[in-house]
Amino acid sequence: MQMLRVPPYLIDMAQFDPDPHVTALTKGADVVVFDGVCVLCSGFLKFMLRHDHAGRFKFVIAQSELGEALYAHLGLKSADYDTNVVIVEGRIYTKLDAFAAAMGALGGVWRVAQVVRVLPRPVADWLYNRIARNRYTIFGKTDTCLVPKPDVQDRFLA
């Protein structure tokens, strides 16, 4: 029996002509763009910092100038930052595929989380959208954006 592979929901950065400032800051880096006031998103950031022992990922707060530029460039609405963005090896992933790409890049036991990629696109998008729309109600929201601690400040691009 052949296993069905669902292709990732990705955009190749080479297909775009981004702002040179954005390209200069993200080139060669794997990046997680996250909502800086969302408790769930900040929790994911803390998880990534704790488990990314190789220091592979850099981070961008969505509400920052660079975060806004990335969202605008990808045609994503930035009013509520309900779409997370992960860049791995020059490819831009969004929604549930962003989570899967980040987990895969962490390696080890975390690769198991990529199983979410087998969900049919309508199911994956429905699930992601429900959580994203209700994340402040379910998990909470802070009054200000997360401020990186000095020991990890060099991992933040913006």
Side-chain angles (χ1 to χ4, degrees):
M1 180 176 179
Q2 190 175 19
M3 192 168 168
L4 176 66
R5 287 188 85 184
V6 178
Y9 192 59
L10 61 84
I11 305 166
D12 190 333
M13 288 183 81
Q15 297 174 353
F16 294 97
D17 184 19
D19 178 327
H21 181 68
V22 172
T23 303
L25 287 174
T26 61
K27 187 174 177 122
D30 291 337
V31 178
V32 173
V33 184
F34 68 99
D35 178 348
V37 297
C38 170
V39 172
L40 174 64
C41 305
S42 296
F44 180 65
L45 162 80
K46 291 172 186 171
F47 172 88
M48 293 297 291
L49 284 169
R50 189 169 51 253
H51 296 287
D52 181 19
H53 303 293
R56 176 178 181 160
F57 282 93
K58 301 286 186 184
F59 303 95
V60 174
I61 298 170
Q63 290 86 345
S64 69
E65 188 177 329
L66 177 58
E68 289 280 347
L70 285 168
Y71 269 67
H73 180 69
L74 296 170
L76 300 172
K77 60 182 180 167
S78 62
D80 59 10
Y81 308 100
D82 67 352
T83 301
N84 65 335
V85 177
V86 172
I87 303 169
V88 175
E89 296 178 354
R91 291 186 173 167
I92 301 172
Y93 299 84
T94 60
K95 298 190 175 192
L96 205 51
D97 286 316
F99 169 76
M103 295 297 96
L106 281 180
V109 69
W110 305 115
R111 287 185 176 175
V112 169
Q114 293 181 95
V115 72
V116 298
R117 285 187 172 159
V118 301
L119 292 173
R121 174 67 42 216
V123 173
D125 286 348
W126 181 88
L127 179 63
Y128 181 87
N129 291 336
R130 291 305 163 274
I131 294 170
R133 274 191 222 130
N134 297 298
R135 69 191 184 282
Y136 295 148
T137 304
I138 298 168
F139 301 100
K141 180 179 177 180
T142 60
D143 293 331
T144 59
C145 277
L146 176 119
V147 177
K149 294 180 180 178
D151 62 329
V152 294
Q153 196 138 27
D154 63 330
R155 306 257 328 256
F156 282 77
L157 298 175

